[in-house]
Amino acid sequence: MQTLTAEILPQTIRQRPADSYKGTYGRIVLIGGNQNFGGAIIMASAAAVYAGAGLVTTLTDPSNQGSLHARLPEAMFADYHDDALLTSLVTGADVIVIGPGLGTDAPALATLKRVLALVTPQQTLVVDGSAITLVAEHRLTLPAVPLVLTPHQMEWQRISGIRIADQTEAANRQAVDRLHATVVLKSHRTEIYTATGTYENPLGTPAQATGGMGDTLAGMVGGFLAQFSDPTHAVLAAVYSHSAIAEELAQTQYVVLPHQITEQLPAFMKAHEAH
Ligand SMILES: NC(=O)C1=CN([C@@H]2O[C@H](COP(=O)(O)OP(=O)(O)OC[C@H]3O[C@@H](n4cnc5c(N)ncnc54)[C@H](OP(=O)(O)O)[C@@H]3O)[C@@H](O)[C@H]2O)[C@@H](O)CC1
Ligand SMILES: Nc1ncnc2c1ncn2[C@@H]1O[C@H](COP(=O)(O)OP(=O)(O)O)[C@@H](O)[C@H]1O
Ligand SMILES: [Mg+2]
């Protein structure tokens, strides 16, 4: 297992070319946020916007529209119950993040199945939170497209069948290879399994142990994937940045709130871009 270092940041985060525009930095849709968990998809969407994704659309329950726009006017809103709209937005996206606050009821399952059927190999699908639990509970087949899963240990137990106590590198690797996905296995020391390598994130703090922290990471992973060319670097740099910012804030804060990580992202990325 390789330990990540700050070198991943300039390897990934490039100076922006002068002749670029929003389309250069990717179209991303984020799907989730039921009537109870709107905050989760708003946090994920904010992380994607602040990470620099070019165009961000949030597909969520209509009850979240006002709070989404009050918090994040940069994001477009769409009702995830509207199948025609969902189809056209998912089809036009470079990156799709599904799961934060999606919930596990029948409409959530139907939305997930629809998205799994629509994605193509030209797109990247990030599967987080409730979407992982639904895939596991209903034994859904994941599509043969570039895939990133971001489970916490219990979500990983559900989808891999490996109990938390037995989640060793060797056992995890077998499950990752079966899933044909990059897996970000989140814990106090997050591990990232790609097709060819295994990485440990040396950073992170218990100040991060608060709801929404993973939703924020999922949005960052999506935002980095949307704009940076090497997908493995994008995932590794997003994980590293999330914890590095948290550690900086935790020097003076007892707890770090997920939206505070998001707010620090543009300055952090500027400080670490390659020249
Ligand atoms: N503001 C919002 O809208 C928010 C919305 N959210 C959304 O809620 C949805 C459900 O996500 P979820 O993670 O809260 O619940 P679930 O999938 O049941 O997992 C919890 C179970 O796993 C266990 N567990 C064991 N190890 C663990 C570990 N390392 N990390 C975490 N859990 C661990 C744990 O054990 P226990 O704590 O009971 O001992 C418990 O039994 C999802 O869509 C998410 O996006 C949240 O993000 C919060 C903010
Ligand atoms: N003690 C800790 N040390 C370091 N990182 C932590 C700690 N506790 C939680 N985290 C991080 O917080 C995030 C939690 O993700 P998750 O459980 O999916 O949260 P949520 O679904 O509430 O957004 C992960 O990135 C995890 O690595
Ligand atoms: Mg989560």
Side-chain angles (χ1 to χ4, degrees), residues 15-27 52-55 94 223-229:
Q15 206 171 24
R16 291 191 155 194
D19 62 349
S20 58
Y21 75 113
K22 61 193 174 189
T24 312
Y25 303 107
R27 286 171 193 272
L55 277 166
D94 301 306
F224 276 44
L225 282 166
Q227 65 188 303
F228 300 128
S229 53

Side-chain angles (χ1 to χ4, degrees), residues 96-201:
I96 299 125
V97 176
I98 187 161
L102 182 66
T104 52
D105 60 6
L109 176 62
T111 300
L112 175 61
K113 283 184 172 171
R114 187 85 186 104
V115 170
L116 294 180
L118 283 169
V119 287
T120 67
Q122 286 71 45
Q123 301 172 302
T124 303
L125 180 65
V126 180
V127 185
D128 180 54
S130 304
I132 296 174
T133 299
L134 282 169
V135 167
E137 271 179 8
H138 300 274
R139 299 177 183 274
L140 303 181
T141 303
L142 289 168
V145 305
L147 269 178
V148 180
L149 308 185
T150 55
H152 58 55
Q153 291 164 303
M154 181 58 84
E155 289 162 343
W156 182 237
Q157 174 175 316
R158 292 174 187 144
I159 198 168
S160 70
I162 307 167
R163 295 166 61 90
I164 294 176
D166 302 328
Q167 290 175 2
T168 60
E169 183 181 351
N172 294 337
R173 169 53 60 189
Q174 284 195 352
V176 167
D177 291 347
R178 277 200 307 275
L179 287 163
H180 299 290
T182 290
V183 173
V184 176
L185 174 52
K186 298 178 296 191
S187 70
H188 76 289
R189 281 288 169 265
T190 294
E191 296 171 356
I192 304 103
Y193 295 79
T194 72
T196 53
T198 308
Y199 306 84
E200 184 184 51
N201 175 22

Side-chain angles (χ1 to χ4, degrees), residues 28 30 38-53 56-58 67-76 97 100 212 215-224 227 258-266 269:
I28 174 168
L30 300 104
I41 203 67
I42 294 172
M43 286 185 273
S45 301
V49 168
Y50 282 64
V56 176
T57 304
T58 306
S67 38
L68 173 72
H69 279 158
R71 192 85 199 192
L72 190 70
E74 296 84 357
M76 290 163 279
V97 176
D215 304 322
T216 296
L217 178 64
M220 283 178 63
V221 167
F224 276 44
Q227 65 188 303
H259 79 264
Q260 295 180 314
I261 294 183
T262 294
E263 282 161 7
Q264 292 298 318
L265 255 178
M269 291 173 75

